[in-house]
Amino acid sequence: MTGVDKGMGSATANLADEKVLVFDFGSQYAQLIARRVREQNVYCEIVRNDLPASIVAAKKPKGIILSGGPASVYAKGAPQCDPGIFHLGIPVLGICYGMQLACQALGGEVVNCRTREFGRAVLKVGNRTDPLLAGLPSELDVWMSHGDQVSQIATHFESLGSTATCPVAVVRHTQMKLYGIQFHPEVTHTPLGGTILHNFLYGICGCEGTWHLTDFAAQEIERLRARIGKERVICGLSGGVDSAVTAALLYKAIGSQLSCILVDNGLLRKDEQSGVLAEFTNHFKADLHVVDAQDRFLDNLKGITEPQEKRKRIGYWFIECFKEEAKAIQGAKYLAQGTLYPDVIESGAAPDGPAATIKLHHNVGGLPEQLGFELVEPLRDLFKDEVRQLGLELGLPEALVWRHPFPGPGLAVRCLGEVTREKIAVLREADSIVVSEIQAAGLYRQTSQVFAVLLPVQSVGVMGDARTYENAVAIRAVNSEDFMTADWSRLPYELLARISSRIINEVRGVNRVVYDISSKPPATIEWE
């Protein structure tokens, strides 16, 4: 078998005996809902909104959560669900759009409200004895994001809570285990949202909390051993946490049968190659192959300024270099990738996942088919935070496990305009200063991603008695839980001043440093 392994779901078969399904109606928070459920030690899968009730029943979930979404339930073509899911006897929780859809499907009315709610609101709890609202105060802060609301509930429904402008903010069906909430319990702006989800999972669905990463690691190691046998596996390393945890998990399973390949494209961070070499030869004693391809990559980026063309060329030459080295490794049958659950969902690769393809798979695209390998993706059921926890369970050092994300095309997407050896050298030094100062200030774990960007502009400066005309560097630091949204980090002025001073004094060719205070959206985290 080549290509994507459709049987990887069996890795969680034992742990997933107790699971919850999240129906995705296009919400930006669908993945966040799933993560919050897993934080409660309950396994969770994201599925397409129109999954037939017969398939849902066959999956035997303990509960169903209907996500929010940008559409109006009464609009033509609005995403719907199979109404049969409400009659399976499985507890259902509708969130925002999901609540409106459930209420409309069972006879209620949804309208566009005069006063929309976007942001914080105060929920007044009408029935604190209900299992969903147990342990909550009579009033609590919640996060709203809606222009429609339920205007009339059908027979057998009752309202359990309201806000100043939303009379039906929490609702339940009196004869079925069906609940709806107009706000978002999964975001941090609803401080007691975790309590509400816990009440639904444990008090209503009857979950026992069987999802633990320690159990996952042990079962996955045994599954890998059984599947791979005595064959050899090739794993691409990048220096990032996903590929490192993939390699560590495989090493625990098959030891010396693992061969790792690091392609040095000349676009890595400072000391990246030496760090990977030290970790995977000293700690794991892995068979590590380093491909020095700096000249090949940089020569093929000459004159290229368009961001997407940069990415295409880097991706093409990565595949060529990887193929050449992989062919030199005798007896290899499998290729391992650090694919995560969000990659599976957003690429449309999950059999019952959302229908829309949000992005192309960013891992080693095309390699399994081109080389005739079978694909191994041991992390494809996990979110990023779970991968970090798993890395610690496997004995990886915290410095590697908590390393900030780094783009696949490397420093090329942080060097705006044409990529040259000279510009990459300037950027690499500036980036190293930014990261080292953030670490020295004890803020590395408090920030989600920090880096330098070399801008394609030069500005006038004065250094000593001489007038200069040199490069500008932007500093980017963001805080984010899921990287779907992000806010700029409020770094201390003294720290920013120290970073600026060091870059200008220590990195030749830079005379100006600026700080990026854009949020995502509307900006992106990376500049290209």
Side-chain angles (χ1 to χ4, degrees), residues 239-240 267-272 403-406 411 428 431:
L267 304 169
L268 303 178
R269 290 170 282 199
K270 188 174 181 179
D271 300 327
E272 187 92 70
R403 198 170 196 189
H404 286 179
F406 188 62
L411 295 176
R428 184 176 286 121
D431 184 73

Side-chain angles (χ1 to χ4, degrees), residues 365-427:
L367 274 177
E369 292 80 5
Q370 292 183 41
L371 295 179
F373 289 151
E374 290 187 30
L375 188 58
V376 176
E377 297 176 305
L379 307 182
R380 65 182 275 127
D381 291 317
L382 303 183
F383 287 102
K384 189 75 164 188
D385 55 332
E386 293 172 325
V387 171
R388 294 190 193 278
Q389 294 174 42
L390 181 59
L392 295 175
E393 292 276 353
L394 294 171
L396 288 174
E398 288 198 9
L400 176 57
V401 169
W402 292 103
R403 198 170 196 189
H404 286 179
F406 188 62
L411 295 176
V413 296
R414 296 174 180 173
C415 180
L416 275 60
E418 183 183 9
V419 175
T420 66
R421 287 171 174 78
E422 296 74 21
K423 291 169 69 175
I424 288 295
V426 168
L427 175 57

Side-chain angles (χ1 to χ4, degrees), residues 1-6 227-228 231-236 257-261 289 318-337 364-377:
M1 180 181 65
T2 58
V4 175
D5 176 12
K6 299 298 185 181
R227 178 185 175 191
I228 294 167
E231 304 291 346
R232 179 160 294 279
V233 179
I234 295 176
C235 179
Q257 295 167 235
L258 174 67
S259 293
C260 297
I261 298 177
H289 300 245
F318 176 84
I319 289 177
E320 290 301 303
C321 293
F322 198 97
K323 284 166 59 178
E324 290 173 11
E325 190 65 27
K327 288 178 180 177
I329 300 174
Q330 298 297 317
K333 181 179 179 180
Y334 297 95
L335 175 68
Q337 291 185 178
V364 193
L367 274 177
E369 292 80 5
Q370 292 183 41
L371 295 179
F373 289 151
E374 290 187 30
L375 188 58
V376 176
E377 297 176 305

